[in-house]
Amino acid sequence: MFTYDMSKAGANRLYHYLYQCIKKDIVSGKILAEEQLPSKRNLAQNLGISVVTVENAYTQLLAEGYIYSLPKKGFFVADINATAEIQSGHKHKPKHARHLPEIPEESEHTNPKYIADFASNGSDIDAFPFSTWAKITREVLCEKQKDLLQVSPGVGTLELRRSIAKMLREFRNIHVSPEQIVIGAGTDYLYGLLVQLLGFDKCYAVEDPGYGKISKLYSQYGISVSYIPIEGKDFVDALKSSNADVVHISPAHHFPTGKVMPIGDRYRLLSWAAESPKRYIVEDDYDSEFRMTGKPIPALQNIDVTEKVIYLNTFSKTMTSAIRLSYMVLPPHLAEKFHNKLSFYSCTVSNLDQYVLAKFIDLGYYETHINRMRNLYRAKRDVLLSAIDKSNLSKVAHIYEEDAGLHFIMEVHTKYPDAEFCNRARQKGVNIKALSEYYFKATPSEHKFVINYSSVEKSDMKKAVQILADLIRFSPEQ
Amino acid sequence: MFTYDMSKAGANRLYHYLYQCIKKDIVSGKILAEEQLPSKRNLAQNLGISVVTVENAYTQLLAEGYIYSLPKKGFFVADINATAEIQSGHKHKPKHARHLPEIPEESEHTNPKYIADFASNGSDIDAFPFSTWAKITREVLCEKQKDLLQVSPGVGTLELRRSIAKMLREFRNIHVSPEQIVIGAGTDYLYGLLVQLLGFDKCYAVEDPGYGKISKLYSQYGISVSYIPIEGKDFVDALKSSNADVVHISPAHHFPTGKVMPIGDRYRLLSWAAESPKRYIVEDDYDSEFRMTGKPIPALQNIDVTEKVIYLNTFSKTMTSAIRLSYMVLPPHLAEKFHNKLSFYSCTVSNLDQYVLAKFIDLGYYETHINRMRNLYRAKRDVLLSAIDKSNLSKVAHIYEEDAGLHFIMEVHTKYPDAEFCNRARQKGVNIKALSEYYFKATPSEHKFVINYSSVEKSDMKKAVQILADLIRFSPEQ
């Protein structure tokens, strides 16, 4: 035992060879658990090697758990087979045996292939400026090496925040300083930061119907969420009668109805916020870039002089999922609070993405891209509307809010309940979602459907419309 | 009033021209606040244009806040100068006047230039594979266009999770399925997800001394944090006597002391966790790749058979801040819980970064990169240690834990208190941090300093060592 022929070490470093020999003997059971190992000095003498070599081998064995040491006693062989029992502290089978989690099986592409997917908020294949992005990435990787290795401030690089401030000034007439901007990897992440900034003890209000994820996210933090109906009752009155401190809205383009908040309501909302220092308005301006006619609606942030509006927007809508980058604009006093309370967080966006996007904006590519996308989506919308117009669908369907953003609402006269209509459409290869699926507490209008056309190919639209038209033709009592 | 010459519209669309005319009159005061606008039908008749054109112009004016409408009464001019008063609801100056936040002034590079910055965890200029990354980015942007536009699952693309699982198997002998892996934009973000997964009602324990950000982050969620001393008392005993449910540790390389958790403690820790279903161990393996001698220490995750270990690691240490990408490996039952409870979150990492990194790993570039970096950092360490050895510093300094990771501890015999020593060093151009700065409640050892050499140029090391040696020579009673 412990008599190894060190001349066989060959190309191996001596310590590594010794480590391998002892490990082999432990695993094979030649050396038994709890057996004491020779002292480093003794073994070194016996094998004719240095104490340091033995020490290195023992250190590795220790680190890997084959041996353990007791102070002033020496080294002992660990019971490598008893791991489970040692761990659980008792002998019964651990509660959670090692098994694969019951998660739906994944394939490279989880979405079934539809002829047309009007429920997806995916993007058109032309929606990402692949070659420009590649070119700028190459330039940034070449020119900005030192900057890329700097640890970015938690709120994002100054360079990108400057570009965004400039862009907001030019496109949205929003005048803010880069110090008010916080960059983050997606709006979900920024919502989480907002909760930490404004406090877990606040009550949040969301629009009903609305984007279910927002209330789900707030609830995740144990926060109480009020649902404010945007139809029927007056929105601001309903908000007042809730106990909400913070209201989360998309005034430029409500999701999913597409409604624009009237100017009167905007002022009344700001009034409501001004009544208490706890109150804030989160203005989610998620697809204002894609307004199809007229000039973009001015942001609430624009008419706010009491520092009550937190403006949020994302590049993931205009630049696709390829780039995950969102930002928020905090009113100055909140920017200061953020700096004091949350600036310890590392920025969640890669430096590379930040520098490439900044350059993309500064060189005017972003403006060009938005204009190109707006035209592309407008053309899609026109093809779809014209296909509907020319089909039998037009006799039983009414289109709402087709001018804003990348979706519109289609009301259909059908006797099918919403769920059945959607199911039948899906079976025929057309994925659509009923507006009623977006309601929380308010009473949904039946037979309205959200038609998101951004990821549907123009060439598939006529067929998709025909499928929907046929469905209605054959629906009961139609 | 309201008599515009529509033939002057020129290239302008009619509605836009009308909108501009009315807006101009409102802004110039020609049309006064609260004045009623003609009905759409009347104005259309007067100007000889269609009602739709007037409607479009009014809609834009409404949206921009120049006019407002009252149900069944019509359109009125808004008081565009009284905005502030309307908003605040009363006349006194708003509490927070619009001002820039009091945030330290930023420049492109906020770090003062030191001769040597041993307190920075920045990276060497050679630390990022710029040209390979550019090449792969170009390839991915060319070959993966459809994939890049897909919405990635909340846990990250299957492609990258597969690459990471394979890499963990080959480098760390950790056998996990891609379904157990969650990709996120940095470990800070993943810690936040963990809190949501394990519950806000748990008590978390962290190492003392340790990385201050971790306890700060947990406290941010209103969570109670226990500080467990890693010196003196037995760690596991101390943990047991706290009321912690979750312990956050770096067993492979404690920060900042560099200590490796002994195997005995590891098993006892797993035992502790097995005693209650609420208990978990967060294993933060943040720089295990950079172990300088011997084989990497096996992960706790490796010897855990009771699904108690959550393994975390980041690419931001090996790939620099240029890429913000971390991951965690959940035990199967927690992966299932994550899927049910948190998969609604969008993944925080850009698809582009995910696909490029996956390819970078799969083609073997990551392994090459790590080996190159390990050699580069080992060479740096050797230059620094040799400079210390050759200087007077060696007579009064002792080096600890120089084999693991990118920093070591230097104990110095000096009469200066830690803060003064650091201040004097900084004044001379050498930035270092005392180990005592990383203590929370435990009693710090004085005169130990954390020497992080990863971002220091080899050519500056001799000078930096001389500065420290001189400081000690001239320190009182030395």
Side-chain angles (χ1 to χ4, degrees):
Chain A
M1 205 82 66
F2 298 109
T3 49
Y4 306 113
D5 183 354
M6 296 307 286
S7 67
K8 287 185 179 163
N12 259 324
R13 290 183 62 174
L14 274 183
Y15 97 89
H16 192 71
Y17 177 71
L18 178 60
Y19 147 80
Q20 284 179 315
C21 292
I22 301 178
K23 179 171 141 185
K24 204 174 147 201
D25 282 355
I26 293 173
V27 171
S28 68
K30 260 197 195 166
I31 317 177
L32 294 174
E34 314 308 339
E35 190 168 331
Q36 186 163 13
L37 276 77
S39 75
K40 290 180 272 187
R41 187 169 301 272
N42 277 344
L43 188 57
Q45 250 170 2
N46 291 344
L47 299 177
I49 54 179
S50 81
V51 175
V52 175
T53 303
V54 179
E55 187 169 307
N56 284 340
Y58 277 18
T59 305
Q60 186 74 38
L61 288 165
L62 266 175
E64 296 192 4
Y66 291 102
I67 64 175
Y68 62 96
S69 74
L70 292 176
K72 294 180 186 163
K73 293 198 170 159
F75 297 91
F76 298 85
V77 177
D79 187 354
I80 55 168
N81 299 313
T83 310
E85 286 156 28
I86 294 173
Q87 273 182 249
S88 62
H90 28 67
K91 306 251 170 183
H92 69 74
K93 193 166 168 292
K95 197 175 160 198
H96 299 291
R98 193 164 274 241
H99 67 283
L100 285 185
E102 286 163 28
I103 294 171
E105 211 170 275
E106 292 180 280
S107 66
E108 282 296 348
H109 297 292
T110 43
N111 297 342
K113 284 277 167 251
Y114 293 111
I115 295 166
D117 189 351
F118 292 117
S120 153
N121 59 355
S123 307
D124 192 278
I125 185 77
D126 291 327
F128 191 80
F130 292 99
S131 60
T132 312
W133 200 264
K135 181 174 88 79
I136 297 184
T137 302
R138 198 172 57 240
E139 288 167 10
V140 166
L141 283 170
C142 196
E143 297 156 9
K144 293 267 178 193
Q145 303 201 344
K146 281 221 162 187
D147 295 324
L148 285 168
L149 299 180
Q150 299 284 330
V151 177
S152 145
V155 293
T157 63
L158 181 56
E159 191 143 346
L160 178 57
R161 285 179 290 124
R162 277 184 184 154
S163 305
I164 290 175
K166 185 167 158 279
M167 177 194 83
L168 283 173
R169 199 164 54 239
E170 288 169 8
F171 289 97
R172 278 306 251 147
N173 197 28
I174 293 177
H175 294 258
V176 297
S177 98
E179 282 74 25
Q180 290 173 255
I181 296 176
V182 178
I183 311 282
T187 35
D188 289 5
Y189 174 69
L190 293 177
Y191 300 153
L193 284 184
L194 267 187
V195 168
Q196 294 177 57
L197 183 67
L198 302 180
F200 293 90
D201 55 342
K202 303 293 181 296
C203 172
Y204 288 68
V206 298
E207 296 162 316
D208 187 3
Y211 192 39
K213 194 190 228 179
I214 293 165
S215 52
K216 203 165 174 179
L217 193 146
Y218 285 131
S219 308
Q220 197 53 52
Y221 293 97
I223 282 172
S224 95
V225 176
S226 300
Y227 299 92
I228 313 293
I230 64 149
E231 289 158 333
K233 268 208 287 186
D234 177 274
F235 183 79
V236 182
D237 284 349
L239 178 63
K240 279 180 182 170
S241 65
S242 79
N243 60 346
D245 307 300
V246 180
V247 61
H248 190 126
I249 50 167
S250 292
H253 184 212
H254 172 258
F255 183 85
T257 69
K259 283 187 179 146
V260 177
M261 180 175 274
I263 187 73
D265 280 4
R266 292 178 188 222
Y267 281 118
R268 290 173 58 222
L269 203 58
L270 288 166
S271 254
W272 165 85
E275 280 165 20
S276 158
K278 291 200 301 181
R279 289 189 183 160
Y280 287 98
I281 300 164
V282 179
E283 177 178 30
D284 200 336
D285 205 28
Y286 71 103
D287 72 350
S288 57
E289 296 84 358
F290 289 130
R291 193 176 152 77
M292 294 300 168
T293 57
K295 289 168 67 180
I297 312 287
L300 253 182
Q301 207 280 348
N302 240 343
I303 54 171
D304 170 34
V305 295
T306 49
E307 302 200 10
K308 285 300 191 179
V309 175
I310 296 152
Y311 176 91
L312 263 143
N313 208 339
T314 180
F315 287 95
S316 304
K317 198 83 191 170
T318 49
M319 300 294 291
T320 81
S321 321
I323 301 305
R324 174 73 60 195
L325 205 155
S326 303
Y327 61 94
M328 58 182 174
V329 178
L330 299 172
H333 75 282
L334 280 185
E336 197 178 328
K337 187 174 174 190
F338 188 96
H339 179 78
N340 296 330
K341 188 179 152 81
L342 297 175
S343 61
F344 72 91
Y345 278 118
S346 299
C347 184
T348 43
V349 181
S350 295
N351 273 359
L352 184 56
D353 286 359
Q354 294 192 57
Y355 279 105
V356 175
L357 181 60
K359 196 162 180 181
F360 189 79
I361 295 171
D362 291 349
L363 294 178
Y365 290 117
Y366 186 65
E367 187 175 357
T368 313
H369 173 70
I370 291 294
N371 290 335
R372 203 175 64 84
M373 293 315 295
R374 203 187 289 124
N375 289 335
L376 186 143
Y377 287 131
R378 189 186 290 131
K380 279 199 169 187
R381 181 202 60 170
D382 291 347
V383 168
L384 181 57
L385 289 177
S386 142
I388 293 172
D389 208 42
K390 285 183 192 142
S391 79
N392 286 327
L393 201 54
S394 63
K395 293 176 194 153
V396 289
H398 186 81
I399 309 295
Y400 298 92
E401 308 292 346
E402 71 267 32
D403 282 346
L406 304 179
H407 66 268
F408 55 75
I409 301 293
M410 182 171 73
E411 183 169 17
V412 173
H413 297 285
T414 169
K415 291 287 159 79
Y416 287 131
D418 284 358
E420 192 176 346
F421 188 82
C422 291
N423 268 337
R424 285 175 182 262
R426 268 193 287 271
Q427 280 165 17
K428 301 280 184 189
V430 177
N431 194 24
I432 58 170
K433 250 180 127 171
L435 179 60
S436 51
E437 292 181 52
Y438 294 94
Y439 279 75
F440 306 107
K441 309 225 159 152
T443 320
S445 325
E446 273 236 317
H447 310 319
K448 283 186 177 171
F449 300 91
V450 181
I451 307 294
N452 192 330
Y453 50 85
S454 60
S455 66
V456 179
E457 297 289 335
K458 276 191 283 191
S459 53
D460 295 326
M461 285 177 170
K462 198 176 158 190
K463 194 169 177 192
V465 166
Q466 196 51 51
I467 287 169
L468 294 178
D470 287 349
L471 251 186
I472 290 165
R473 193 149 61 94
F474 297 117
S475 86
E477 299 174 54
Q478 203 76 39
Chain B
M1 204 86 65
F2 299 111
T3 49
Y4 307 113
D5 182 356
M6 297 306 287
S7 66
K8 287 187 179 159
N12 260 322
R13 289 182 64 175
L14 273 185
Y15 96 89
H16 192 72
Y17 177 72
L18 179 60
Y19 146 82
Q20 285 179 314
C21 293
I22 301 178
K23 179 171 138 185
K24 204 174 145 199
D25 282 355
I26 294 173
V27 171
S28 68
K30 259 199 198 168
I31 317 178
L32 294 174
E34 313 308 340
E35 189 168 334
Q36 185 162 13
L37 276 75
S39 76
K40 289 180 273 187
R41 188 169 300 273
N42 278 346
L43 188 56
Q45 249 170 1
N46 291 345
L47 299 177
I49 54 179
S50 80
V51 175
V52 175
T53 304
V54 179
E55 187 169 307
N56 285 341
Y58 278 18
T59 306
Q60 187 73 37
L61 289 165
L62 265 175
E64 296 192 2
Y66 292 102
I67 63 174
Y68 62 96
S69 74
L70 292 176
K72 293 182 188 163
K73 291 201 172 157
F75 297 90
F76 298 85
V77 176
D79 187 355
I80 53 170
N81 298 312
T83 312
E85 286 157 29
I86 293 175
Q87 271 181 248
S88 63
H90 28 67
K91 306 251 169 180
H92 69 74
K93 196 167 169 287
K95 198 176 161 196
H96 299 290
R98 192 164 276 239
H99 66 285
L100 286 184
E102 286 164 28
I103 294 171
E105 210 170 274
E106 293 180 280
S107 67
E108 281 297 347
H109 297 293
T110 43
N111 298 342
K113 286 277 167 252
Y114 293 111
I115 295 167
D117 189 351
F118 292 117
S120 153
N121 59 355
S123 308
D124 192 278
I125 185 77
D126 291 328
F128 191 80
F130 292 99
S131 60
T132 312
W133 200 264
K135 182 174 88 81
I136 297 184
T137 302
R138 199 172 56 241
E139 287 167 12
V140 167
L141 283 171
C142 195
E143 297 157 7
K144 293 265 179 196
Q145 304 202 343
K146 281 222 161 189
D147 295 324
L148 285 169
L149 299 181
Q150 299 283 329
V151 177
S152 145
V155 293
T157 64
L158 182 56
E159 192 144 344
L160 178 58
R161 286 179 289 123
R162 276 184 185 154
S163 305
I164 290 175
K166 185 167 159 278
M167 177 194 82
L168 283 174
R169 200 163 55 239
E170 289 168 7
F171 289 97
R172 273 315 245 142
N173 197 29
I174 293 178
H175 293 257
V176 296
S177 97
E179 283 74 25
Q180 290 172 255
I181 296 176
V182 178
I183 310 282
T187 35
D188 289 3
Y189 174 69
L190 294 177
Y191 300 153
L193 284 184
L194 268 186
V195 169
Q196 294 177 57
L197 183 67
L198 302 179
F200 293 90
D201 54 341
K202 304 292 182 297
C203 173
Y204 289 69
V206 298
E207 296 162 316
D208 187 3
Y211 192 38
K213 195 190 224 179
I214 292 166
S215 52
K216 202 164 174 179
L217 192 146
Y218 286 131
S219 308
Q220 196 53 52
Y221 293 99
I223 282 172
S224 94
V225 176
S226 300
Y227 298 92
I228 313 293
I230 64 148
E231 289 158 332
K233 267 209 289 185
D234 178 275
F235 183 79
V236 183
D237 284 348
L239 178 63
K240 278 180 183 168
S241 65
S242 79
N243 60 346
D245 306 300
V246 180
V247 62
H248 189 126
I249 49 167
S250 293
H253 183 212
H254 172 259
F255 183 84
T257 68
K259 283 189 179 144
V260 178
M261 179 175 274
I263 188 72
D265 280 5
R266 291 179 188 223
Y267 281 120
R268 290 174 59 224
L269 202 58
L270 288 166
S271 249
W272 165 85
E275 280 166 20
S276 158
K278 289 201 302 182
R279 289 187 182 162
Y280 287 98
I281 300 163
V282 179
E283 177 178 31
D284 200 335
D285 205 29
Y286 72 102
D287 72 350
S288 57
E289 297 84 358
F290 289 129
R291 194 175 152 78
M292 294 301 168
T293 58
K295 289 168 66 179
I297 312 287
L300 253 182
Q301 207 279 349
N302 239 344
I303 53 172
D304 170 34
V305 296
T306 49
E307 301 199 10
K308 285 300 192 179
V309 175
I310 296 152
Y311 176 91
L312 263 143
N313 207 339
T314 180
F315 287 94
S316 304
K317 198 83 191 169
T318 50
M319 301 293 291
T320 81
S321 321
I323 300 305
R324 174 72 61 194
L325 205 155
S326 303
Y327 60 94
M328 59 182 174
V329 178
L330 298 172
H333 76 281
L334 279 186
E336 196 177 328
K337 187 175 173 190
F338 189 95
H339 180 78
N340 296 331
K341 188 179 151 79
L342 297 175
S343 61
F344 73 91
Y345 278 118
S346 300
C347 184
T348 42
V349 182
S350 294
N351 272 0
L352 184 56
D353 286 359
Q354 294 193 57
Y355 280 105
V356 176
L357 181 60
K359 197 162 178 180
F360 188 79
I361 295 171
D362 292 348
L363 294 179
Y365 290 117
Y366 186 65
E367 187 175 358
T368 314
H369 173 69
I370 291 295
N371 290 336
R372 204 174 65 84
M373 293 316 296
R374 203 187 287 121
N375 289 335
L376 186 141
Y377 287 131
R378 190 186 289 129
K380 279 198 169 189
R381 181 202 59 169
D382 291 348
V383 168
L384 181 57
L385 289 176
S386 142
I388 292 171
D389 209 43
K390 286 183 193 143
S391 77
N392 286 328
L393 200 55
S394 63
K395 293 176 194 152
V396 289
H398 186 82
I399 308 294
Y400 297 92
E401 308 293 347
E402 70 267 33
D403 281 345
L406 304 180
H407 66 268
F408 55 75
I409 300 293
M410 181 170 74
E411 185 169 16
V412 175
H413 297 286
T414 169
K415 292 285 158 78
Y416 286 131
D418 283 359
E420 192 177 345
F421 188 81
C422 292
N423 268 337
R424 284 175 181 263
R426 267 193 287 270
Q427 279 164 17
K428 301 278 184 190
V430 177
N431 194 23
I432 58 169
K433 249 181 126 170
L435 180 59
S436 51
E437 292 182 51
Y438 295 95
Y439 280 75
F440 306 107
K441 309 225 158 156
T443 320
S445 326
E446 273 236 317
H447 310 321
K448 284 186 176 171
F449 300 90
V450 181
I451 306 293
N452 192 328
Y453 51 84
S454 60
S455 66
V456 180
E457 297 290 334
K458 275 191 285 193
S459 53
D460 295 327
M461 285 175 169
K462 198 176 159 191
K463 193 168 177 193
V465 165
Q466 196 51 52
I467 287 169
L468 294 178
D470 288 349
L471 251 186
I472 289 164
R473 195 150 59 93
F474 298 115
S475 86
E477 301 172 52
Q478 204 77 41

